[in-house]
Amino acid sequence: MYRLIKQEGRARRGEFETPHGTVQTPVFMNVGTQGAIKGALSARDLKEIGCQVELSNTYHLHVRPGDGLIKEMGGLHRFMTWDGPILTDSGGFQIFSLASLRKIREEGVRFNSHVAGRHLFLGPEASMRIQANLGSDIAMAFDECIKIPSPRDYVIRSCDRTVRWLERCKKALAEYNGEDGAVNPGQMLFGINQGAVFHDIRIEHMKKIADLDLPGYAIGGLAVGETHQEMYDTIEAVEEHMPADKPRYLMGVGTPGNIIESVARGVDFFDCVMPARNGRHGHLFTWDGIINIKNEKYQRDELPIDPACSCPVCRRYSRAYLRHLFKAEEMLAMRLAVGHNLFFYNSLMQRIRDSLEAGGFDSFRHTYSEILDKRI
Amino acid sequence: MYRLIKQEGRARRGEFETPHGTVQTPVFMNVGTQGAIKGALSARDLKEIGCQVELSNTYHLHVRPGDGLIKEMGGLHRFMTWDGPILTDSGGFQIFSLASLRKIREEGVRFNSHVAGRHLFLGPEASMRIQANLGSDIAMAFDECIKIPSPRDYVIRSCDRTVRWLERCKKALAEYNGEDGAVNPGQMLFGINQGAVFHDIRIEHMKKIADLDLPGYAIGGLAVGETHQEMYDTIEAVEEHMPADKPRYLMGVGTPGNIIESVARGVDFFDCVMPARNGRHGHLFTWDGIINIKNEKYQRDELPIDPACSCPVCRRYSRAYLRHLFKAEEMLAMRLAVGHNLFFYNSLMQRIRDSLEAGGFDSFRHTYSEILDKRI
């Protein structure tokens, strides 16, 4: 389902078919944790800002409003009125970042929910059941996101378990999507590579999960505290062992510079809460670097956020008005800022794809890899 | 500039020309206090929900970002990117509702701002200067909004002063809008009738301000604690003495029922924060009454908020999704709820106008005057 269109070094221009449309890669997935984009963006806005794939969180939607309810409402696409591709994570990451009192067993993980302190259980079968109920196009494997640093022997044991969990995920998802009334029978499963920053463990693990011949593979457990260099080195080590005919997804990454550098190392899919979160704080991406729209100097500035940007916000509003909205704590400030930042990320990916097609990615990388992450 | 198109009883179907377009009356003005609609609605959304006139607040914009800044940015229309008619209030109401330590003199009012406790002064000339800087299409007279109840002799003294203030407003605004670089030279001034619920004082005051031959007149100082019946009685008493060839604006009113009943008593312009405020709390207007979308019973409800509503929210989203957004505290909940409620108010006015044109307002009033305000 992945088709490689062009390659420049390790960087890949491709496309990936899903039940809700073909995704042009490299792609950034726009995060709608609870079935909605933060900052009051609507599904229609997502189209306008060039979003190709929406990403929602299994853990959050399972807790509220419940995946059973969403299935009854016709699945997540219909519930949130987004007809493009959706990827759901497995809930694993949230268990390890949000839940307290978790207990990991072979069976799965028992934990307390961050909402109302309910006791919950998530394992490979439960995660697949929830994701089948949501009916996303890409379901992510249930894995343990290992914290960095962790002892080597723990990482080995955890990775072995993640392989066994992945086998159970594959079996369970196939079963659930074969049932009558399955929300999205064409739903696909991506495996997730773990191994902290131990290259040999990562490679060993990658080889094992590649044997399961899944439609795509993610590199998980990065961007959790290691340095950027450690992250890049780990990607380089493992990428060679990822199937070339499958898309590669680097989970939770990152800054524009991180994305450019990871594309250069063969990654196709990205997601990150950063553009929305930065936007809500008035930190706005431009092709010259990151500006803080709340700065005094924008008080009487009639220019758009970025004169080089063609997003709906830059086509209409001045920096002065945006600054006023932030100072006055108007909700519209959030919407416009998040809308601009997500448009920026989506058009960053468009420009990466264009440069790959034109054979100019290396030059693009050279021009933008550092500058875009700088605060100006 | 006001043209009466048709009349049914006291109710009037008309139109009113402004420098930024002709307003079909009766009309509801959508409140954007700080130059933005609460709930993250954009200027483009306003067009979609049928808004004819946007209302902004002189006091708030004077305090932040400052009317001088807005003038430099080309005026409020350009600053907030709304090209339709704008009405600004005089700041008087906020002085009496928000400011502490105010001191009323013939000259004007000294008070502490609710933002950062700054000392400020507002009088007829200052209010007109600010509104001229904002460049609204309709400027409101600077008046004292008298609290109800107030002693009769105080109300008389205050009303006499409001007449003197109005003469100063008229003179000042003409002067400011005759200056080179005036933002909106066609800006008009509406006088405001006061007098608490003393009919004789109201009438006397109305006669005096009518003599100034302004383009429009408002009834102020109502909906501040009196009963609905007292409000209606006061409108009836004063309406006869309002010029028939000028629009009448009932400030800060009200529920759908209040609006229908006031149209029946000859009122043409309305504004109220209620639809936006109710929306933010999940209280949504429908043609059957007011629903609370957070109610358990909407958890799995696939219907739109109001199956009889054709707003962008009802055309797209289910009650179940909206309820989820409220429960999950997603900002999108606010935007969709406020958008629906404002659309409801604007289409209420459209239906009032349609019924007046068809000679069926009395029947419309009979059907909807009570039901729309009920919680169901």
Side-chain angles (χ1 to χ4, degrees):
Chain A
M1 309 211 190
Y2 174 80
R3 187 171 76 86
L4 181 66
I5 296 171
K6 205 161 175 186
Q7 194 149 11
E8 184 178 338
R10 311 299 304 169
R12 296 146 41 107
R13 168 75 183 92
E15 57 183 31
F16 184 67
E17 269 173 52
T18 82
H20 286 82
T22 300
V23 179
Q24 301 301 321
T25 64
V27 64
F28 178 78
M29 300 185 283
N30 297 229
V31 181
T33 298
Q34 305 186 100
I37 308 293
K38 299 283 174 204
L41 265 69
S42 70
R44 191 179 75 174
D45 293 333
L46 280 186
K47 295 274 178 194
E48 281 188 9
I49 60 172
C51 169
Q52 291 194 77
V53 184
E54 195 273 348
L55 183 154
S56 283
N57 292 101
T58 284
Y59 171 85
H60 288 94
L61 291 173
H62 173 58
V63 170
R64 184 176 54 201
D67 49 288
L69 184 149
I70 291 178
K71 183 181 184 183
E72 278 181 55
M73 297 296 108
L76 187 56
H77 287 90
R78 187 155 168 226
F79 188 59
M80 67 180 289
T81 77
W82 166 255
D83 62 5
I86 295 177
L87 179 145
T88 43
D89 67 358
S90 68
F93 183 77
Q94 278 74 27
I95 294 178
F96 295 98
S97 61
L98 292 178
S100 57
L101 293 172
R102 59 179 180 271
K103 213 168 210 170
I104 311 175
R105 295 270 168 78
E106 185 65 26
E107 183 196 3
V109 187
R110 261 177 217 295
F111 59 98
N112 282 352
S113 139
H114 75 299
V115 178
R118 276 157 57 195
H119 294 280
L120 293 173
F121 171 82
L122 219 51
E125 292 78 13
S127 173
M128 292 308 112
R129 174 57 80 188
I130 297 168
Q131 294 185 76
N133 283 345
L134 298 174
S136 56
D137 297 283
I138 302 170
M140 296 304 299
F142 184 76
D143 64 338
E144 179 185 354
C145 182
I146 306 166
K147 71 170 191 287
I148 294 176
S150 281
R152 188 178 163 86
D153 61 333
Y154 182 80
V155 175
I156 293 174
R157 281 206 314 277
S158 169
C159 282
D160 286 347
R161 185 169 51 211
T162 291
V163 175
R164 294 190 297 273
W165 280 357
L166 182 58
E167 287 161 354
R168 284 163 56 189
C169 285
K170 185 180 176 184
K171 184 163 168 285
L173 195 67
E175 182 190 327
Y176 303 150
N177 284 324
E179 290 170 353
D180 280 351
V183 175
N184 189 358
Q187 186 177 41
M188 294 173 283
L189 177 65
F190 277 21
I192 304 176
N193 174 247
Q194 293 287 355
V197 286
F198 300 108
H199 294 184
D200 58 334
I201 303 177
R202 284 265 175 196
I203 292 168
E204 185 67 17
H205 185 255
M206 188 62 237
K207 286 179 180 168
K208 283 183 191 154
I209 63 175
D211 285 344
L212 291 178
D213 194 28
L214 297 170
Y217 288 93
I219 304 175
L222 290 180
V224 294
E226 80 287 6
T227 66
H228 284 169
Q229 199 52 55
E230 284 177 309
M231 178 173 86
Y232 297 143
D233 290 347
T234 305
I235 298 169
E236 281 178 29
V238 81
E239 187 265 345
E240 289 185 66
H241 303 279
M242 299 182 88
D245 59 344
K246 308 284 174 69
R248 296 89 173 262
Y249 163 27
L250 181 59
M251 300 179 84
V253 173
T255 67
N258 292 158
I259 289 176
I260 295 171
E261 288 305 309
S262 302
V263 166
R265 288 165 174 84
V267 176
D268 309 299
F269 279 64
F270 298 89
D271 82 285
C272 192
V273 295
M274 179 186 290
R277 182 174 294 163
N278 278 10
R280 295 202 301 281
H281 291 101
H283 300 284
L284 305 178
F285 291 98
T286 81
W287 290 96
D288 297 313
I290 301 162
I291 69 169
N292 182 350
I293 196 66
K294 291 191 266 189
N295 275 349
E296 186 83 19
K297 67 176 167 183
Y298 300 119
Q299 196 169 28
R300 286 154 204 272
D301 192 332
E302 292 200 81
L303 290 175
I305 300 166
D306 183 352
C309 176
S310 60
C311 84
V313 180
C314 286
R315 284 202 310 267
R316 181 156 195 154
Y317 298 101
S318 65
R319 293 170 178 170
Y321 182 63
L322 245 94
R323 181 181 186 275
H324 163 63
L325 294 179
F326 268 102
K327 288 290 173 183
E329 295 178 12
E330 282 289 340
M331 221 179 261
L332 183 58
M334 305 290 159
R335 176 177 164 198
L336 300 182
V338 172
H340 167 82
N341 272 2
L342 289 179
F343 182 95
F344 180 88
Y345 262 65
N346 292 323
S347 65
L348 168 66
M349 304 317 289
Q350 179 68 55
R351 288 184 66 173
I352 289 174
R353 292 193 298 271
D354 290 348
S355 71
L356 282 166
E357 281 176 24
F361 174 71
D362 194 55
S363 152
F364 180 88
R365 176 186 177 189
H366 189 75
T367 308
Y368 289 112
S369 180
E370 289 191 11
I371 197 177
L372 298 182
D373 291 0
K374 288 221 172 96
R375 298 192 179 274
I376 54 172
Chain B
M1 310 211 188
Y2 174 80
R3 188 171 77 86
L4 181 67
I5 296 171
K6 205 162 176 185
Q7 194 149 12
E8 183 178 337
R10 310 299 305 168
R12 296 144 44 104
R13 168 76 181 93
E15 58 183 30
F16 183 66
E17 270 173 51
T18 81
H20 286 82
T22 301
V23 179
Q24 302 300 321
T25 64
V27 64
F28 178 78
M29 299 186 284
N30 298 229
V31 181
T33 298
Q34 305 187 101
I37 309 293
K38 298 285 174 202
L41 265 69
S42 70
R44 190 178 77 175
D45 293 334
L46 279 186
K47 295 274 178 194
E48 281 189 10
I49 60 172
C51 170
Q52 290 195 77
V53 185
E54 195 272 347
L55 184 154
S56 282
N57 292 101
T58 284
Y59 171 85
H60 288 92
L61 292 172
H62 173 58
V63 171
R64 187 176 50 200
D67 48 289
L69 184 149
I70 291 178
K71 184 182 184 184
E72 277 181 55
M73 297 295 108
L76 187 54
H77 287 90
R78 187 155 167 227
F79 188 59
M80 68 179 290
T81 76
W82 166 254
D83 61 5
I86 296 178
L87 181 143
T88 44
D89 68 358
S90 67
F93 183 78
Q94 279 73 28
I95 294 178
F96 295 98
S97 62
L98 292 178
S100 57
L101 294 172
R102 59 179 180 270
K103 212 168 212 171
I104 310 177
R105 294 271 167 77
E106 185 65 24
E107 181 197 6
V109 187
R110 257 175 222 296
F111 60 98
N112 283 352
S113 140
H114 75 297
V115 177
R118 276 156 59 195
H119 295 280
L120 293 173
F121 170 81
L122 220 49
E125 293 77 14
S127 174
M128 293 308 111
R129 175 57 81 188
I130 297 168
Q131 293 185 74
N133 283 344
L134 298 175
S136 56
D137 297 283
I138 302 169
M140 296 304 299
F142 184 75
D143 64 337
E144 180 185 352
C145 183
I146 306 165
K147 71 170 193 282
I148 293 178
S150 281
R152 187 176 164 86
D153 62 333
Y154 181 81
V155 175
I156 292 174
R157 281 206 315 278
S158 168
C159 282
D160 285 348
R161 185 170 50 213
T162 291
V163 175
R164 295 191 295 275
W165 280 358
L166 182 58
E167 287 161 354
R168 286 163 56 190
C169 285
K170 186 181 176 183
K171 185 163 167 286
L173 195 67
E175 183 190 326
Y176 302 151
N177 284 325
E179 291 171 352
D180 280 353
V183 175
N184 189 359
Q187 187 177 41
M188 295 173 282
L189 176 65
F190 277 20
I192 304 176
N193 174 247
Q194 292 287 354
V197 286
F198 300 110
H199 294 184
D200 58 335
I201 304 177
R202 283 263 175 197
I203 291 167
E204 185 66 18
H205 185 255
M206 189 62 236
K207 286 178 180 170
K208 283 183 192 158
I209 64 175
D211 285 344
L212 291 177
D213 194 27
L214 297 169
Y217 288 94
I219 303 175
L222 290 180
V224 294
E226 80 286 3
T227 65
H228 284 169
Q229 199 51 55
E230 285 177 308
M231 178 173 85
Y232 297 144
D233 290 347
T234 305
I235 298 168
E236 281 178 29
V238 81
E239 187 265 344
E240 289 186 65
H241 304 278
M242 300 183 87
D245 59 345
K246 308 285 174 70
R248 296 89 173 260
Y249 163 27
L250 180 60
M251 302 179 81
V253 173
T255 67
N258 293 157
I259 289 176
I260 295 171
E261 288 306 310
S262 303
V263 165
R265 289 165 174 83
V267 176
D268 309 300
F269 278 65
F270 299 89
D271 81 284
C272 192
V273 295
M274 180 186 288
R277 183 174 293 163
N278 277 10
R280 295 203 301 282
H281 292 102
H283 301 285
L284 306 179
F285 292 98
T286 81
W287 290 97
D288 298 312
I290 301 162
I291 69 169
N292 182 349
I293 196 66
K294 292 192 267 189
N295 275 348
E296 186 84 20
K297 66 176 166 183
Y298 299 121
Q299 195 169 29
R300 286 154 203 271
D301 192 333
E302 290 200 81
L303 290 176
I305 299 166
D306 183 352
C309 176
S310 60
C311 84
V313 180
C314 286
R315 285 203 309 267
R316 181 156 195 154
Y317 298 101
S318 66
R319 292 170 177 169
Y321 183 63
L322 245 94
R323 181 180 187 276
H324 164 62
L325 294 179
F326 268 101
K327 288 290 174 185
E329 295 178 13
E330 282 289 341
M331 221 179 261
L332 183 58
M334 305 290 159
R335 177 178 164 198
L336 300 182
V338 172
H340 168 82
N341 273 2
L342 289 179
F343 182 96
F344 180 88
Y345 262 65
N346 292 324
S347 65
L348 167 66
M349 304 317 289
Q350 179 69 55
R351 288 185 68 173
I352 289 173
R353 292 193 298 272
D354 290 348
S355 71
L356 281 166
E357 281 176 25
F361 175 70
D362 193 56
S363 150
F364 180 87
R365 176 185 178 190
H366 189 76
T367 308
Y368 289 112
S369 180
E370 288 190 11
I371 197 176
L372 298 182
D373 291 0
K374 288 220 172 97
R375 297 192 177 274
I376 54 174

